[in-house]
């Protein structure tokens, strides 16, 4: 396929998967029309990049469904000047979307080979405001904290305590919280030091494995 074909598929993805399901934030829609999702995938499945599903990226991990990326991003209410922490880099696609919409993105991946691939891909495309770190993201990044926004893109039994500590007052955290094989998308806002939760769509993510997530 040619670059223009991918662009057409990407526009179609926005028109058929995102707008009809209620994604309204114009900046999110623009980013989803722009970021070349197919480049974050193994070549053998690029032709499926703009389909309405999560897809395998190796190491038993997945790149999230476009709609889920859009919903989570919209819930973050990014205006452009935020410092964002993502836990679960995976392919790096969500990080690229965040990089379009925020000032600075720190993204942590526990599987070193995925972190390397994502970093290379983000660099090739030209993102200069994303930092990929290979480590256990449940601990966060104390030396870069506090963050205006935190997004966890793996399923967690609870919002990890260290991440709550690293969220700014008035900040927003979005994460799939629940059981190992089914979760609810939770948005927490930090108000007077306490996380006030809102519950959104049911979802299924791969597990967050680490000190403050699942044990293995
Ligand atoms: N946001 C990704 C999708 C992530 S899939 C994308 O856009 O492609 C979830 C990722 O979280 C997997 O790559 C998995 O290895 C990673 N992960 C699981 N536990 C983690 C942890 N404790 N710290 C950092 N990454 C973790």
């Amino acid at each position: 396929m040619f670059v223009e074909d991918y662009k057409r598929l990407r526009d179609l993805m926005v028109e058929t998967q995102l707008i009809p399901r209620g994604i309204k934030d114009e900046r999110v829609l623009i980013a989803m029309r722009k970021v070349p999702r197919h480049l974050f995938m193994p070549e053998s499945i690029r032709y499926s990049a703009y389909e309405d599903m999560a897809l395998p990226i190796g190491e038993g991990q997945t790149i999230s469904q476009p709609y889920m990326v859009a919903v989570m991003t919209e819930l973050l209410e990014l205006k452009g000047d935020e410092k964002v922490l993502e836990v679960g880099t995976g392919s790096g696609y969500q990080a690229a979307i965040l990089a379009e919409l925020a000032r600075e993105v720190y993204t942590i991946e526990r599987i070193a080979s995925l972190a390397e691939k994502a970093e290379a891909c983000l660099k090739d495309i030209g993102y200069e405001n994303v930092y990929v770190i290979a480590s256990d993201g449940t601990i966060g990044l104390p030396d870069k904290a506090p963050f205006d926004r935190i997004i966890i893109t793996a399923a967690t039994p609870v919002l990890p305590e260290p991440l709550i500590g690293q969220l700014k007052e008035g900040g927003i955290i979005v994460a799939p919280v629940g059981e190992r094989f089914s979760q609810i998308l939770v948005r927490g806002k930090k108000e007077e030091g306490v996380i006030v939760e809102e519950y959104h769509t049911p979802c299924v993510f791969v597990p967050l494995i680490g000190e403050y997530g699942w044990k293995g």
Side-chain angles (χ1 to χ4, degrees):
M1 263 193 278
F2 296 105
V3 172
E4 312 84 72
D5 296 322
Y6 281 122
K7 173 65 181 143
R8 202 167 310 125
L9 290 176
R10 201 151 57 237
D11 285 340
L12 203 61
M13 167 188 89
V14 170
E15 303 302 331
T16 62
Q17 299 170 33
L18 308 188
I19 294 172
R21 289 187 185 130
I23 304 296
K24 289 190 186 68
D25 185 329
E26 202 51 47
R27 295 181 73 237
V28 173
L29 295 172
I30 289 169
M32 299 286 300
R33 283 186 203 275
K34 178 174 172 195
V35 177
R37 176 173 164 91
H38 60 284
L39 296 181
F40 292 88
M41 301 193 173
E43 264 175 60
S44 59
I45 58 166
R46 279 188 187 164
Y47 65 92
S48 298
Y50 299 99
E51 288 177 23
D52 191 14
M53 56 175 99
L55 287 163
I57 54 169
E59 309 285 351
Q61 307 304 322
T62 53
I63 177 170
S64 307
Q65 177 197 25
Y67 172 65
M68 194 51 65
V69 172
V71 169
M72 293 179 88
T73 308
E74 187 168 68
L75 287 173
L76 288 175
E77 294 178 3
L78 295 167
K79 305 292 179 228
D81 195 37
E82 297 84 357
K83 176 160 71 163
V84 182
L85 174 66
E86 180 193 24
V87 175
T89 314
S91 67
Y93 173 66
Q94 171 78 69
I97 296 285
L98 297 170
E100 292 284 342
L101 299 171
R103 176 166 47 89
E104 226 175 16
V105 180
Y106 292 86
T107 180
I108 314 179
E109 170 56 52
R110 73 177 265 277
I111 301 176
S113 61
L114 292 179
E116 268 167 42
K117 257 190 237 170
E119 187 173 33
C121 187
L122 288 159
K123 189 161 172 253
D124 282 352
I125 298 172
Y127 290 103
E128 289 179 348
N129 58 341
V130 188
Y131 307 93
V132 181
I133 298 106
S135 69
D136 175 5
T138 66
I139 294 164
L141 284 180
D143 54 330
K144 301 292 178 197
F147 297 96
D148 300 293
R149 302 287 186 265
I150 299 179
I151 172 172
I152 309 176
T153 59
T156 180
V158 292
L159 294 176
E161 206 51 54
L163 300 185
I164 293 175
Q166 290 168 35
L167 184 64
K168 250 186 216 167
E169 176 63 25
I172 299 176
I173 180 167
V174 173
V177 181
E179 306 298 321
R180 186 120 182 174
F181 298 105
S182 77
Q183 306 91 36
I184 295 279
L185 201 58
V186 172
R187 169 163 72 176
K189 282 197 183 169
K190 198 172 194 176
E191 295 176 8
E192 288 165 18
V194 179
I195 297 290
V196 180
E197 295 189 357
E198 256 174 27
Y199 303 96
H200 293 269
T201 178
C203 51
V204 182
F205 279 77
V206 295
L208 181 75
I209 296 169
E211 193 171 335
Y212 294 86
W214 302 98
K215 293 301 173 207

